[in-house]
Structure formats: structure tokens, C-alpha cells
Amino acid sequence: MDTTHLAFALISHFEGCRLTPYRCPAGRWSIGYGATRLLDGSAVTETTEALTPNEADALLQANIHILCGQISALTAGHSLQPYQMAALISFSYNVGITGLKTSTLLRRLLMDDLQGAANEFLRWDKMHIADGSMVESPGLLKRREAERAMFLGQPFHS
């Protein structure tokens, strides 16, 4: 499987798909597979029109493509396997590219410490909730375990 298919499978598994706007646990308006922006760049709002399943898939594919380019730029000179890139895309889709940019995970990867980088996924098991506080999330831990497994070339489990 190529990077795009692996990333799509991982993200869609953990995000699920909702065709109408909803508030994520952090209170942000989202749609599809957790997207906060539409293809035209506009923010998702309460009044955003519902997506079709094909539109939700296309939105996720577009976001995967964007993240792939951003991660490739951050890791230039380091050869990543498709499964490693897919794990980084899923991680960045969830925490944002800035989260990856400033992470120890990326620093370890750039030092060619792949096991150390893989272990860093597990540190990102907390989420902001609507009141601004951070709480541990069993769901995020499962996602990070799956991303870590994929990064190491192992099958992911939900």
C-alpha cells in the first residue's frame, strides 16, 4: 500500500466520518474526517453545508496531500518509508503541522533515531477540551499506539 492509502486508512479509522458540521472535543467546528477547513480554505462553521461521502473523502485526500508536502519539506534528506510517512501524516492531521515541527519526535527522526522517534508518539495522548484544559485521552493513546506501530512497519490495531 502507498502512503496515501495508509494515511487515509489510519486517519479515517480514528476520526470517523460525519457529513454535517459538528463540534470536536476541543470545541472547534469540524466536518467529514475531522476537517476544520474546506477545500476552498474557508473555516467550517455551524452553517457549513453537509458533505457527500465523496466530498468528505476528497477533502481528506487533499489534506493528506498537503501534509505529505509539508512533512517532506521538514524531513528533506531523510528517506522515509511509505508507512513512516503515513504515520507522520496521521499524527500531523491530528495535532497540526506545528505540533510536529516543534516536537522531539521530529528531532529524533532527523537524528536518525527511529526507535526514539517512534516512542515519542506515545507522549501525545492528551487533548485540549472546550474549557481549555488538557486531559489524558484513552482514544488518543490508542491512536498514538497505532501510529507508532505503523511508523515501525507493524500492523496497527484499534
Side-chain angles (χ1 to χ4, degrees), residues 2 17 29 31 36 46-47 54-55 58 68 73 79 84-85 92 100 105 111 115 117 126 141 145 147-148 157:
D2 70 5
C17 185
W29 284 105
I31 199 165
T36 57
E46 181 178 20
T47 60
N54 287 342
E55 290 169 332
C68 189
S79 181
Q84 291 170 321
M85 178 63 85
S92 299
L100 177 64
L105 189 163
M111 294 186 308
Q115 186 65 52
K126 295 166 190 65
L141 180 57
E145 288 169 341
E147 290 165 346
R148 179 183 181 278
H157 303 285

PDB file of all heavy atoms in Angstrom, residues 2 17 29 31 36 46-47 54-55 58 68 73 79 84-85 92 100 105 111 115 117 126 141 145 147-148 157:
ATOM      1  N   ASP A   2       0.441   2.274  -0.690  1.00  0.00           N
ATOM      2  CA  ASP A   2       1.226   3.505  -0.729  1.00  0.00           C
ATOM      3  C   ASP A   2       0.866   4.417   0.444  1.00  0.00           C
ATOM      4  O   ASP A   2      -0.067   4.161   1.203  1.00  0.00           O
ATOM      5  CB  ASP A   2       1.082   4.208  -2.076  1.00  0.00           C
ATOM      6  CG  ASP A   2      -0.303   4.817  -2.297  1.00  0.00           C
ATOM      7  OD1 ASP A   2      -1.142   4.796  -1.391  1.00  0.00           O
ATOM      8  OD2 ASP A   2      -0.538   5.345  -3.404  1.00  0.00           O
ATOM      9  N   CYS A  17     -16.299   9.503  10.158  1.00  0.00           N
ATOM     10  CA  CYS A  17     -16.770  10.489   9.183  1.00  0.00           C
ATOM     11  C   CYS A  17     -18.167  10.971   9.559  1.00  0.00           C
ATOM     12  O   CYS A  17     -19.071  10.170   9.767  1.00  0.00           O
ATOM     13  CB  CYS A  17     -16.789   9.881   7.786  1.00  0.00           C
ATOM     14  SG  CYS A  17     -17.229  11.075   6.504  1.00  0.00           S
ATOM     15  N   TRP A  29     -15.447  23.730  15.171  1.00  0.00           N
ATOM     16  CA  TRP A  29     -16.344  23.188  14.166  1.00  0.00           C
ATOM     17  C   TRP A  29     -15.544  22.334  13.192  1.00  0.00           C
ATOM     18  O   TRP A  29     -14.488  22.745  12.712  1.00  0.00           O
ATOM     19  CB  TRP A  29     -17.081  24.307  13.432  1.00  0.00           C
ATOM     20  CG  TRP A  29     -18.173  24.891  14.261  1.00  0.00           C
ATOM     21  CD1 TRP A  29     -18.175  26.094  14.902  1.00  0.00           C
ATOM     22  CD2 TRP A  29     -19.428  24.273  14.555  1.00  0.00           C
ATOM     23  NE1 TRP A  29     -19.350  26.262  15.599  1.00  0.00           N
ATOM     24  CE2 TRP A  29     -20.143  25.157  15.399  1.00  0.00           C
ATOM     25  CE3 TRP A  29     -20.018  23.064  14.212  1.00  0.00           C
ATOM     26  CZ2 TRP A  29     -21.415  24.863  15.888  1.00  0.00           C
ATOM     27  CZ3 TRP A  29     -21.285  22.764  14.696  1.00  0.00           C
ATOM     28  CH2 TRP A  29     -21.972  23.662  15.530  1.00  0.00           C
ATOM     29  N   ILE A  31     -15.919  18.837  10.138  1.00  0.00           N
ATOM     30  CA  ILE A  31     -16.793  18.114   9.219  1.00  0.00           C
ATOM     31  C   ILE A  31     -15.984  17.002   8.560  1.00  0.00           C
ATOM     32  O   ILE A  31     -14.754  17.039   8.554  1.00  0.00           O
ATOM     33  CB  ILE A  31     -17.411  19.067   8.164  1.00  0.00           C
ATOM     34  CG1 ILE A  31     -18.651  18.438   7.519  1.00  0.00           C
ATOM     35  CG2 ILE A  31     -16.372  19.497   7.126  1.00  0.00           C
ATOM     36  CD1 ILE A  31     -19.526  19.424   6.757  1.00  0.00           C
ATOM     37  N   THR A  36     -11.267  20.994   9.739  1.00  0.00           N
ATOM     38  CA  THR A  36     -11.735  22.283  10.259  1.00  0.00           C
ATOM     39  C   THR A  36     -11.789  23.342   9.152  1.00  0.00           C
ATOM     40  O   THR A  36     -12.269  24.443   9.382  1.00  0.00           O
ATOM     41  CB  THR A  36     -10.829  22.782  11.397  1.00  0.00           C
ATOM     42  OG1 THR A  36      -9.487  22.878  10.920  1.00  0.00           O
ATOM     43  CG2 THR A  36     -10.897  21.822  12.592  1.00  0.00           C
ATOM     44  N   GLU A  46     -21.022  26.289  11.857  1.00  0.00           N
ATOM     45  CA  GLU A  46     -22.299  25.632  12.142  1.00  0.00           C
ATOM     46  C   GLU A  46     -23.181  25.568  10.889  1.00  0.00           C
ATOM     47  O   GLU A  46     -23.983  24.650  10.738  1.00  0.00           O
ATOM     48  CB  GLU A  46     -22.991  26.409  13.261  1.00  0.00           C
ATOM     49  CG  GLU A  46     -24.304  25.853  13.698  1.00  0.00           C
ATOM     50  CD  GLU A  46     -24.894  26.657  14.844  1.00  0.00           C
ATOM     51  OE1 GLU A  46     -24.495  27.820  15.052  1.00  0.00           O
ATOM     52  OE2 GLU A  46     -25.781  26.113  15.515  1.00  0.00           O
ATOM     53  N   THR A  47     -23.039  26.545   9.994  1.00  0.00           N
ATOM     54  CA  THR A  47     -23.906  26.620   8.815  1.00  0.00           C
ATOM     55  C   THR A  47     -23.276  26.021   7.554  1.00  0.00           C
ATOM     56  O   THR A  47     -23.856  26.104   6.473  1.00  0.00           O
ATOM     57  CB  THR A  47     -24.291  28.088   8.526  1.00  0.00           C
ATOM     58  OG1 THR A  47     -23.099  28.839   8.284  1.00  0.00           O
ATOM     59  CG2 THR A  47     -25.074  28.678   9.690  1.00  0.00           C
ATOM     60  N   ASN A  54     -18.352  11.252  -0.997  1.00  0.00           N
ATOM     61  CA  ASN A  54     -17.254  11.501  -1.937  1.00  0.00           C
ATOM     62  C   ASN A  54     -16.556  12.820  -1.633  1.00  0.00           C
ATOM     63  O   ASN A  54     -15.331  12.924  -1.751  1.00  0.00           O
ATOM     64  CB  ASN A  54     -17.741  11.488  -3.385  1.00  0.00           C
ATOM     65  CG  ASN A  54     -18.059  10.101  -3.880  1.00  0.00           C
ATOM     66  OD1 ASN A  54     -17.630   9.111  -3.304  1.00  0.00           O
ATOM     67  ND2 ASN A  54     -18.815  10.017  -4.961  1.00  0.00           N
ATOM     68  N   GLU A  55     -17.310  13.846  -1.238  1.00  0.00           N
ATOM     69  CA  GLU A  55     -16.704  15.133  -0.878  1.00  0.00           C
ATOM     70  C   GLU A  55     -15.865  15.007   0.390  1.00  0.00           C
ATOM     71  O   GLU A  55     -14.783  15.605   0.489  1.00  0.00           O
ATOM     72  CB  GLU A  55     -17.783  16.205  -0.697  1.00  0.00           C
ATOM     73  CG  GLU A  55     -18.449  16.625  -1.990  1.00  0.00           C
ATOM     74  CD  GLU A  55     -19.677  17.490  -1.780  1.00  0.00           C
ATOM     75  OE1 GLU A  55     -20.345  17.372  -0.722  1.00  0.00           O
ATOM     76  OE2 GLU A  55     -19.983  18.285  -2.693  1.00  0.00           O
ATOM     77  N   ALA A  58     -12.673  13.327  -0.608  1.00  0.00           N
ATOM     78  CA  ALA A  58     -11.823  14.251  -1.371  1.00  0.00           C
ATOM     79  C   ALA A  58     -11.164  15.273  -0.447  1.00  0.00           C
ATOM     80  O   ALA A  58      -9.989  15.627  -0.636  1.00  0.00           O
ATOM     81  CB  ALA A  58     -12.641  14.953  -2.455  1.00  0.00           C
ATOM     82  N   CYS A  68       1.604  15.738   3.326  1.00  0.00           N
ATOM     83  CA  CYS A  68       2.718  14.980   2.754  1.00  0.00           C
ATOM     84  C   CYS A  68       3.800  15.948   2.263  1.00  0.00           C
ATOM     85  O   CYS A  68       4.990  15.742   2.527  1.00  0.00           O
ATOM     86  CB  CYS A  68       2.217  14.086   1.625  1.00  0.00           C
ATOM     87  SG  CYS A  68       3.466  12.938   1.021  1.00  0.00           S
ATOM     88  N   ALA A  73       9.083  18.405   3.261  1.00  0.00           N
ATOM     89  CA  ALA A  73       9.971  19.565   3.411  1.00  0.00           C
ATOM     90  C   ALA A  73      10.692  19.524   4.755  1.00  0.00           C
ATOM     91  O   ALA A  73      11.884  19.842   4.841  1.00  0.00           O
ATOM     92  CB  ALA A  73       9.177  20.860   3.264  1.00  0.00           C
ATOM     93  N   SER A  79      15.264   9.617   4.055  1.00  0.00           N
ATOM     94  CA  SER A  79      14.403   8.724   3.286  1.00  0.00           C
ATOM     95  C   SER A  79      13.415   8.028   4.222  1.00  0.00           C
ATOM     96  O   SER A  79      13.819   7.309   5.134  1.00  0.00           O
ATOM     97  CB  SER A  79      15.268   7.691   2.563  1.00  0.00           C
ATOM     98  OG  SER A  79      14.464   6.837   1.809  1.00  0.00           O
ATOM     99  N   GLN A  84       6.061   5.017   7.318  1.00  0.00           N
ATOM    100  CA  GLN A  84       6.537   6.047   8.243  1.00  0.00           C
ATOM    101  C   GLN A  84       5.899   7.394   7.915  1.00  0.00           C
ATOM    102  O   GLN A  84       5.442   8.114   8.809  1.00  0.00           O
ATOM    103  CB  GLN A  84       8.065   6.154   8.179  1.00  0.00           C
ATOM    104  CG  GLN A  84       8.750   4.937   8.747  1.00  0.00           C
ATOM    105  CD  GLN A  84      10.237   4.928   8.457  1.00  0.00           C
ATOM    106  OE1 GLN A  84      10.686   5.308   7.378  1.00  0.00           O
ATOM    107  NE2 GLN A  84      11.008   4.474   9.440  1.00  0.00           N
ATOM    108  N   MET A  85       5.860   7.726   6.620  1.00  0.00           N
ATOM    109  CA  MET A  85       5.231   8.976   6.201  1.00  0.00           C
ATOM    110  C   MET A  85       3.748   8.964   6.567  1.00  0.00           C
ATOM    111  O   MET A  85       3.219   9.961   7.059  1.00  0.00           O
ATOM    112  CB  MET A  85       5.413   9.187   4.698  1.00  0.00           C
ATOM    113  CG  MET A  85       4.752  10.451   4.181  1.00  0.00           C
ATOM    114  SD  MET A  85       5.411  11.980   4.874  1.00  0.00           S
ATOM    115  CE  MET A  85       6.785  12.258   3.781  1.00  0.00           C
ATOM    116  N   SER A  92       0.212  14.448  12.290  1.00  0.00           N
ATOM    117  CA  SER A  92       0.120  15.879  11.970  1.00  0.00           C
ATOM    118  C   SER A  92      -1.308  16.299  11.671  1.00  0.00           C
ATOM    119  O   SER A  92      -1.696  17.436  11.972  1.00  0.00           O
ATOM    120  CB  SER A  92       1.022  16.209  10.785  1.00  0.00           C
ATOM    121  OG  SER A  92       2.361  15.907  11.104  1.00  0.00           O
ATOM    122  N   LEU A 100       4.118  18.880  14.990  1.00  0.00           N
ATOM    123  CA  LEU A 100       5.218  18.041  14.518  1.00  0.00           C
ATOM    124  C   LEU A 100       6.509  18.847  14.417  1.00  0.00           C
ATOM    125  O   LEU A 100       7.561  18.398  14.861  1.00  0.00           O
ATOM    126  CB  LEU A 100       4.886  17.414  13.159  1.00  0.00           C
ATOM    127  CG  LEU A 100       6.019  16.573  12.549  1.00  0.00           C
ATOM    128  CD1 LEU A 100       6.340  15.359  13.423  1.00  0.00           C
ATOM    129  CD2 LEU A 100       5.671  16.153  11.133  1.00  0.00           C
ATOM    130  N   LEU A 105       9.743  14.271  18.634  1.00  0.00           N
ATOM    131  CA  LEU A 105       9.562  13.211  17.647  1.00  0.00           C
ATOM    132  C   LEU A 105      10.328  13.571  16.363  1.00  0.00           C
ATOM    133  O   LEU A 105      11.122  12.761  15.858  1.00  0.00           O
ATOM    134  CB  LEU A 105       8.062  13.026  17.356  1.00  0.00           C
ATOM    135  CG  LEU A 105       7.610  11.845  16.509  1.00  0.00           C
ATOM    136  CD1 LEU A 105       6.121  11.623  16.691  1.00  0.00           C
ATOM    137  CD2 LEU A 105       7.941  11.955  15.069  1.00  0.00           C
ATOM    138  N   MET A 111      17.642  12.978  13.629  1.00  0.00           N
ATOM    139  CA  MET A 111      18.920  12.429  14.118  1.00  0.00           C
ATOM    140  C   MET A 111      19.047  10.946  13.762  1.00  0.00           C
ATOM    141  O   MET A 111      19.950  10.262  14.236  1.00  0.00           O
ATOM    142  CB  MET A 111      19.038  12.616  15.639  1.00  0.00           C
ATOM    143  CG  MET A 111      19.136  14.057  16.072  1.00  0.00           C
ATOM    144  SD  MET A 111      19.435  14.299  17.855  1.00  0.00           S
ATOM    145  CE  MET A 111      18.160  13.315  18.612  1.00  0.00           C
ATOM    146  N   GLN A 115      13.758   4.495  16.508  1.00  0.00           N
ATOM    147  CA  GLN A 115      13.069   3.920  17.671  1.00  0.00           C
ATOM    148  C   GLN A 115      12.686   5.020  18.654  1.00  0.00           C
ATOM    149  O   GLN A 115      11.586   5.039  19.185  1.00  0.00           O
ATOM    150  CB  GLN A 115      13.950   2.875  18.355  1.00  0.00           C
ATOM    151  CG  GLN A 115      13.245   2.127  19.476  1.00  0.00           C
ATOM    152  CD  GLN A 115      12.089   1.289  18.985  1.00  0.00           C
ATOM    153  OE1 GLN A 115      12.224   0.490  18.068  1.00  0.00           O
ATOM    154  NE2 GLN A 115      10.922   1.473  19.594  1.00  0.00           N
ATOM    155  N   ALA A 117      12.153   8.158  17.906  1.00  0.00           N
ATOM    156  CA  ALA A 117      11.062   8.914  17.281  1.00  0.00           C
ATOM    157  C   ALA A 117       9.747   8.170  17.457  1.00  0.00           C
ATOM    158  O   ALA A 117       8.726   8.761  17.829  1.00  0.00           O
ATOM    159  CB  ALA A 117      11.351   9.146  15.803  1.00  0.00           C
ATOM    160  N   LYS A 126      -2.713  13.439  25.201  1.00  0.00           N
ATOM    161  CA  LYS A 126      -3.588  14.397  25.897  1.00  0.00           C
ATOM    162  C   LYS A 126      -4.258  15.305  24.885  1.00  0.00           C
ATOM    163  O   LYS A 126      -3.722  15.550  23.813  1.00  0.00           O
ATOM    164  CB  LYS A 126      -2.775  15.213  26.899  1.00  0.00           C
ATOM    165  CG  LYS A 126      -2.211  14.354  28.020  1.00  0.00           C
ATOM    166  CD  LYS A 126      -1.153  15.064  28.808  1.00  0.00           C
ATOM    167  CE  LYS A 126      -0.441  14.117  29.744  1.00  0.00           C
ATOM    168  NZ  LYS A 126       0.325  13.084  29.042  1.00  0.00           N
ATOM    169  N   LEU A 141      -4.509   7.776  23.051  1.00  0.00           N
ATOM    170  CA  LEU A 141      -3.446   6.807  23.309  1.00  0.00           C
ATOM    171  C   LEU A 141      -3.534   5.656  22.307  1.00  0.00           C
ATOM    172  O   LEU A 141      -2.521   5.233  21.757  1.00  0.00           O
ATOM    173  CB  LEU A 141      -3.499   6.289  24.746  1.00  0.00           C
ATOM    174  CG  LEU A 141      -2.418   5.260  25.089  1.00  0.00           C
ATOM    175  CD1 LEU A 141      -1.011   5.817  24.851  1.00  0.00           C
ATOM    176  CD2 LEU A 141      -2.576   4.780  26.526  1.00  0.00           C
ATOM    177  N   GLU A 145      -0.654   4.711  19.687  1.00  0.00           N
ATOM    178  CA  GLU A 145      -0.107   3.350  19.621  1.00  0.00           C
ATOM    179  C   GLU A 145      -0.173   2.823  18.193  1.00  0.00           C
ATOM    180  O   GLU A 145       0.763   2.173  17.708  1.00  0.00           O
ATOM    181  CB  GLU A 145      -0.851   2.428  20.576  1.00  0.00           C
ATOM    182  CG  GLU A 145      -0.541   2.694  22.037  1.00  0.00           C
ATOM    183  CD  GLU A 145      -1.448   1.968  23.007  1.00  0.00           C
ATOM    184  OE1 GLU A 145      -2.555   1.525  22.606  1.00  0.00           O
ATOM    185  OE2 GLU A 145      -1.063   1.861  24.190  1.00  0.00           O
ATOM    186  N   GLU A 147      -0.270   4.720  15.415  1.00  0.00           N
ATOM    187  CA  GLU A 147       0.683   5.497  14.613  1.00  0.00           C
ATOM    188  C   GLU A 147       2.106   4.991  14.853  1.00  0.00           C
ATOM    189  O   GLU A 147       2.896   4.850  13.907  1.00  0.00           O
ATOM    190  CB  GLU A 147       0.578   6.986  14.949  1.00  0.00           C
ATOM    191  CG  GLU A 147      -0.698   7.616  14.455  1.00  0.00           C
ATOM    192  CD  GLU A 147      -1.015   8.961  15.059  1.00  0.00           C
ATOM    193  OE1 GLU A 147      -0.401   9.357  16.087  1.00  0.00           O
ATOM    194  OE2 GLU A 147      -1.911   9.642  14.520  1.00  0.00           O
ATOM    195  N   ARG A 148       2.433   4.718  16.103  1.00  0.00           N
ATOM    196  CA  ARG A 148       3.759   4.192  16.430  1.00  0.00           C
ATOM    197  C   ARG A 148       3.981   2.851  15.741  1.00  0.00           C
ATOM    198  O   ARG A 148       5.034   2.610  15.149  1.00  0.00           O
ATOM    199  CB  ARG A 148       3.902   4.035  17.945  1.00  0.00           C
ATOM    200  CG  ARG A 148       5.245   3.468  18.375  1.00  0.00           C
ATOM    201  CD  ARG A 148       5.287   3.267  19.908  1.00  0.00           C
ATOM    202  NE  ARG A 148       6.566   2.744  20.306  1.00  0.00           N
ATOM    203  CZ  ARG A 148       6.900   1.450  20.252  1.00  0.00           C
ATOM    204  NH1 ARG A 148       6.027   0.545  19.825  1.00  0.00           N
ATOM    205  NH2 ARG A 148       8.109   1.064  20.637  1.00  0.00           N
ATOM    206  N   HIS A 157      -3.483  -1.650  15.351  1.00  0.00           N
ATOM    207  CA  HIS A 157      -4.687  -2.234  15.968  1.00  0.00           C
ATOM    208  C   HIS A 157      -5.502  -1.099  16.559  1.00  0.00           C
ATOM    209  O   HIS A 157      -4.967  -0.133  17.074  1.00  0.00           O
ATOM    210  CB  HIS A 157      -4.311  -3.234  17.056  1.00  0.00           C
ATOM    211  CG  HIS A 157      -3.441  -4.340  16.554  1.00  0.00           C
ATOM    212  ND1 HIS A 157      -3.920  -5.370  15.796  1.00  0.00           N
ATOM    213  CD2 HIS A 157      -2.102  -4.544  16.680  1.00  0.00           C
ATOM    214  CE1 HIS A 157      -2.926  -6.168  15.476  1.00  0.00           C
ATOM    215  NE2 HIS A 157      -1.804  -5.702  16.008  1.00  0.00           N
TER     216      HIS A 157
END
